[in-house]
PDB file of all heavy atoms in Angstrom:
ATOM      1  N   ARG O  45      -3.667   2.565  11.219  1.00  0.00           N
ATOM      2  CA  ARG O  45      -5.000   2.008  10.980  1.00  0.00           C
ATOM      3  C   ARG O  45      -4.996   1.000   9.835  1.00  0.00           C
ATOM      4  O   ARG O  45      -5.749   0.037   9.833  1.00  0.00           O
ATOM      5  CB  ARG O  45      -5.979   3.132  10.646  1.00  0.00           C
ATOM      6  CG  ARG O  45      -6.363   4.026  11.799  1.00  0.00           C
ATOM      7  CD  ARG O  45      -7.144   3.280  12.865  1.00  0.00           C
ATOM      8  NE  ARG O  45      -7.780   4.185  13.802  1.00  0.00           N
ATOM      9  CZ  ARG O  45      -9.055   4.529  13.764  1.00  0.00           C
ATOM     10  NH1 ARG O  45      -9.848   4.033  12.837  1.00  0.00           N
ATOM     11  NH2 ARG O  45      -9.546   5.348  14.667  1.00  0.00           N
ATOM     12  N   ALA O  46      -4.161   1.244   8.801  1.00  0.00           N
ATOM     13  CA  ALA O  46      -4.168   0.408   7.601  1.00  0.00           C
ATOM     14  C   ALA O  46      -3.176  -0.744   7.661  1.00  0.00           C
ATOM     15  O   ALA O  46      -3.069  -1.515   6.712  1.00  0.00           O
ATOM     16  CB  ALA O  46      -3.867   1.274   6.377  1.00  0.00           C
ATOM     17  N   ALA O  47      -2.459  -0.878   8.767  1.00  0.00           N
ATOM     18  CA  ALA O  47      -1.415  -1.901   8.851  1.00  0.00           C
ATOM     19  C   ALA O  47      -1.954  -3.306   8.649  1.00  0.00           C
ATOM     20  O   ALA O  47      -1.254  -4.193   8.143  1.00  0.00           O
ATOM     21  CB  ALA O  47      -0.698  -1.803  10.203  1.00  0.00           C
ATOM     22  N   GLY O  48      -3.205  -3.538   9.011  1.00  0.00           N
ATOM     23  CA  GLY O  48      -3.785  -4.866   8.858  1.00  0.00           C
ATOM     24  C   GLY O  48      -3.938  -5.285   7.412  1.00  0.00           C
ATOM     25  O   GLY O  48      -4.077  -6.474   7.104  1.00  0.00           O
ATOM     26  N   ALA O  49      -3.910  -4.326   6.481  1.00  0.00           N
ATOM     27  CA  ALA O  49      -4.058  -4.639   5.056  1.00  0.00           C
ATOM     28  C   ALA O  49      -2.709  -4.890   4.392  1.00  0.00           C
ATOM     29  O   ALA O  49      -2.650  -5.110   3.185  1.00  0.00           O
ATOM     30  CB  ALA O  49      -4.785  -3.499   4.348  1.00  0.00           C
ATOM     31  N   GLY O  50      -1.625  -4.868   5.158  1.00  0.00           N
ATOM     32  CA  GLY O  50      -0.309  -5.115   4.589  1.00  0.00           C
ATOM     33  C   GLY O  50       0.648  -3.970   4.896  1.00  0.00           C
ATOM     34  O   GLY O  50       0.306  -3.010   5.586  1.00  0.00           O
ATOM     35  N   LEU O  51       1.853  -4.086   4.360  1.00  0.00           N
ATOM     36  CA  LEU O  51       2.880  -3.075   4.586  1.00  0.00           C
ATOM     37  C   LEU O  51       2.466  -1.737   3.991  1.00  0.00           C
ATOM     38  O   LEU O  51       2.020  -1.667   2.846  1.00  0.00           O
ATOM     39  CB  LEU O  51       4.195  -3.531   3.956  1.00  0.00           C
ATOM     40  CG  LEU O  51       5.391  -2.577   4.109  1.00  0.00           C
ATOM     41  CD1 LEU O  51       5.770  -2.422   5.573  1.00  0.00           C
ATOM     42  CD2 LEU O  51       6.576  -3.084   3.296  1.00  0.00           C
ATOM     43  N   VAL O  52       2.595  -0.667   4.771  1.00  0.00           N
ATOM     44  CA  VAL O  52       2.257   0.671   4.309  1.00  0.00           C
ATOM     45  C   VAL O  52       3.556   1.416   3.988  1.00  0.00           C
ATOM     46  O   VAL O  52       4.408   1.613   4.857  1.00  0.00           O
ATOM     47  CB  VAL O  52       1.452   1.449   5.365  1.00  0.00           C
ATOM     48  CG1 VAL O  52       1.103   2.839   4.851  1.00  0.00           C
ATOM     49  CG2 VAL O  52       0.183   0.682   5.730  1.00  0.00           C
ATOM     50  N   ASP O  53       3.710   1.824   2.736  1.00  0.00           N
ATOM     51  CA  ASP O  53       4.897   2.539   2.269  1.00  0.00           C
ATOM     52  C   ASP O  53       4.553   4.018   2.186  1.00  0.00           C
ATOM     53  O   ASP O  53       3.762   4.439   1.328  1.00  0.00           O
ATOM     54  CB  ASP O  53       5.309   2.002   0.896  1.00  0.00           C
ATOM     55  CG  ASP O  53       6.645   2.564   0.427  1.00  0.00           C
ATOM     56  OD1 ASP O  53       7.365   3.149   1.265  1.00  0.00           O
ATOM     57  OD2 ASP O  53       6.956   2.418  -0.767  1.00  0.00           O
ATOM     58  N   VAL O  54       5.108   4.837   3.082  1.00  0.00           N
ATOM     59  CA  VAL O  54       4.778   6.258   3.162  1.00  0.00           C
ATOM     60  C   VAL O  54       5.829   7.091   2.439  1.00  0.00           C
ATOM     61  O   VAL O  54       7.029   6.970   2.704  1.00  0.00           O
ATOM     62  CB  VAL O  54       4.657   6.721   4.633  1.00  0.00           C
ATOM     63  CG1 VAL O  54       4.328   8.206   4.694  1.00  0.00           C
ATOM     64  CG2 VAL O  54       3.603   5.903   5.371  1.00  0.00           C
ATOM     65  N   HIS O  55       5.378   7.934   1.512  1.00  0.00           N
ATOM     66  CA  HIS O  55       6.254   8.867   0.800  1.00  0.00           C
ATOM     67  C   HIS O  55       5.806  10.291   1.125  1.00  0.00           C
ATOM     68  O   HIS O  55       4.602  10.576   1.117  1.00  0.00           O
ATOM     69  CB  HIS O  55       6.177   8.659  -0.712  1.00  0.00           C
ATOM     70  CG  HIS O  55       6.674   7.325  -1.178  1.00  0.00           C
ATOM     71  ND1 HIS O  55       7.815   7.175  -1.929  1.00  0.00           N
ATOM     72  CD2 HIS O  55       6.185   6.079  -0.995  1.00  0.00           C
ATOM     73  CE1 HIS O  55       8.003   5.893  -2.198  1.00  0.00           C
ATOM     74  NE2 HIS O  55       7.027   5.211  -1.634  1.00  0.00           N
ATOM     75  N   VAL O  56       6.740  11.178   1.386  1.00  0.00           N
ATOM     76  CA  VAL O  56       6.410  12.573   1.690  1.00  0.00           C
ATOM     77  C   VAL O  56       6.933  13.461   0.570  1.00  0.00           C
ATOM     78  O   VAL O  56       8.105  13.381   0.185  1.00  0.00           O
ATOM     79  CB  VAL O  56       7.011  13.017   3.034  1.00  0.00           C
ATOM     80  CG1 VAL O  56       6.692  14.490   3.289  1.00  0.00           C
ATOM     81  CG2 VAL O  56       6.480  12.153   4.173  1.00  0.00           C
ATOM     82  N   VAL O  57       6.065  14.322   0.050  1.00  0.00           N
ATOM     83  CA  VAL O  57       6.437  15.302  -0.974  1.00  0.00           C
ATOM     84  C   VAL O  57       6.417  16.673  -0.320  1.00  0.00           C
ATOM     85  O   VAL O  57       5.362  17.175   0.083  1.00  0.00           O
ATOM     86  CB  VAL O  57       5.459  15.267  -2.168  1.00  0.00           C
ATOM     87  CG1 VAL O  57       5.787  16.376  -3.162  1.00  0.00           C
ATOM     88  CG2 VAL O  57       5.493  13.901  -2.847  1.00  0.00           C
ATOM     89  N   GLU O  58       7.587  17.294  -0.182  1.00  0.00           N
ATOM     90  CA  GLU O  58       7.706  18.637   0.382  1.00  0.00           C
ATOM     91  C   GLU O  58       7.689  19.640  -0.772  1.00  0.00           C
ATOM     92  O   GLU O  58       8.648  19.750  -1.533  1.00  0.00           O
ATOM     93  CB  GLU O  58       9.006  18.777   1.178  1.00  0.00           C
ATOM     94  CG  GLU O  58       8.933  18.253   2.596  1.00  0.00           C
ATOM     95  CD  GLU O  58       8.246  19.231   3.545  1.00  0.00           C
ATOM     96  OE1 GLU O  58       7.656  20.225   3.061  1.00  0.00           O
ATOM     97  OE2 GLU O  58       8.294  18.985   4.760  1.00  0.00           O
ATOM     98  N   LEU O  59       6.604  20.376  -0.908  1.00  0.00           N
ATOM     99  CA  LEU O  59       6.482  21.309  -2.022  1.00  0.00           C
ATOM    100  C   LEU O  59       7.459  22.474  -1.917  1.00  0.00           C
ATOM    101  O   LEU O  59       7.833  23.054  -2.940  1.00  0.00           O
ATOM    102  CB  LEU O  59       5.044  21.826  -2.111  1.00  0.00           C
ATOM    103  CG  LEU O  59       3.973  20.765  -2.391  1.00  0.00           C
ATOM    104  CD1 LEU O  59       2.623  21.437  -2.624  1.00  0.00           C
ATOM    105  CD2 LEU O  59       4.348  19.903  -3.590  1.00  0.00           C
ATOM    106  N   ARG O  60       7.877  22.806  -0.704  1.00  0.00           N
ATOM    107  CA  ARG O  60       8.855  23.879  -0.523  1.00  0.00           C
ATOM    108  C   ARG O  60      10.112  23.613  -1.347  1.00  0.00           C
ATOM    109  O   ARG O  60      10.697  24.530  -1.945  1.00  0.00           O
ATOM    110  CB  ARG O  60       9.212  23.986   0.964  1.00  0.00           C
ATOM    111  CG  ARG O  60      10.262  25.043   1.284  1.00  0.00           C
ATOM    112  CD  ARG O  60      10.654  25.009   2.754  1.00  0.00           C
ATOM    113  NE  ARG O  60      11.303  23.750   3.100  1.00  0.00           N
ATOM    114  CZ  ARG O  60      10.785  22.844   3.926  1.00  0.00           C
ATOM    115  NH1 ARG O  60       9.610  23.053   4.485  1.00  0.00           N
ATOM    116  NH2 ARG O  60      11.427  21.736   4.200  1.00  0.00           N
ATOM    117  N   ASP O  61      10.522  22.348  -1.423  1.00  0.00           N
ATOM    118  CA  ASP O  61      11.739  21.989  -2.162  1.00  0.00           C
ATOM    119  C   ASP O  61      11.528  21.965  -3.675  1.00  0.00           C
ATOM    120  O   ASP O  61      12.499  21.860  -4.429  1.00  0.00           O
ATOM    121  CB  ASP O  61      12.226  20.613  -1.704  1.00  0.00           C
ATOM    122  CG  ASP O  61      12.524  20.567  -0.209  1.00  0.00           C
ATOM    123  OD1 ASP O  61      12.877  21.627   0.349  1.00  0.00           O
ATOM    124  OD2 ASP O  61      12.393  19.479   0.392  1.00  0.00           O
ATOM    125  N   LEU O  62      10.273  22.063  -4.108  1.00  0.00           N
ATOM    126  CA  LEU O  62       9.967  21.947  -5.540  1.00  0.00           C
ATOM    127  C   LEU O  62       9.500  23.272  -6.141  1.00  0.00           C
ATOM    128  O   LEU O  62       9.118  23.313  -7.321  1.00  0.00           O
ATOM    129  CB  LEU O  62       8.867  20.897  -5.751  1.00  0.00           C
ATOM    130  CG  LEU O  62       9.166  19.485  -5.248  1.00  0.00           C
ATOM    131  CD1 LEU O  62       7.910  18.616  -5.381  1.00  0.00           C
ATOM    132  CD2 LEU O  62      10.322  18.873  -6.031  1.00  0.00           C
ATOM    133  N   ALA O  63       9.535  24.350  -5.362  1.00  0.00           N
ATOM    134  CA  ALA O  63       8.948  25.617  -5.809  1.00  0.00           C
ATOM    135  C   ALA O  63       9.536  26.101  -7.128  1.00  0.00           C
ATOM    136  O   ALA O  63       8.810  26.522  -8.039  1.00  0.00           O
ATOM    137  CB  ALA O  63       9.125  26.672  -4.720  1.00  0.00           C
ATOM    138  N   VAL O  64      10.849  26.050  -7.262  1.00  0.00           N
ATOM    139  CA  VAL O  64      11.496  26.547  -8.484  1.00  0.00           C
ATOM    140  C   VAL O  64      11.121  25.683  -9.683  1.00  0.00           C
ATOM    141  O   VAL O  64      10.782  26.197 -10.767  1.00  0.00           O
ATOM    142  CB  VAL O  64      13.026  26.599  -8.306  1.00  0.00           C
ATOM    143  CG1 VAL O  64      13.709  26.966  -9.638  1.00  0.00           C
ATOM    144  CG2 VAL O  64      13.405  27.617  -7.232  1.00  0.00           C
TER     145      VAL O  64
END
Side-chain angles (χ1 to χ4, degrees):
R45 288 295 194 100
L51 180 64
V52 180
D53 188 14
V54 179
H55 296 248
V56 178
V57 175
E58 277 281 10
L59 297 187
R60 178 185 64 246
D61 301 332
L62 301 173
V64 174

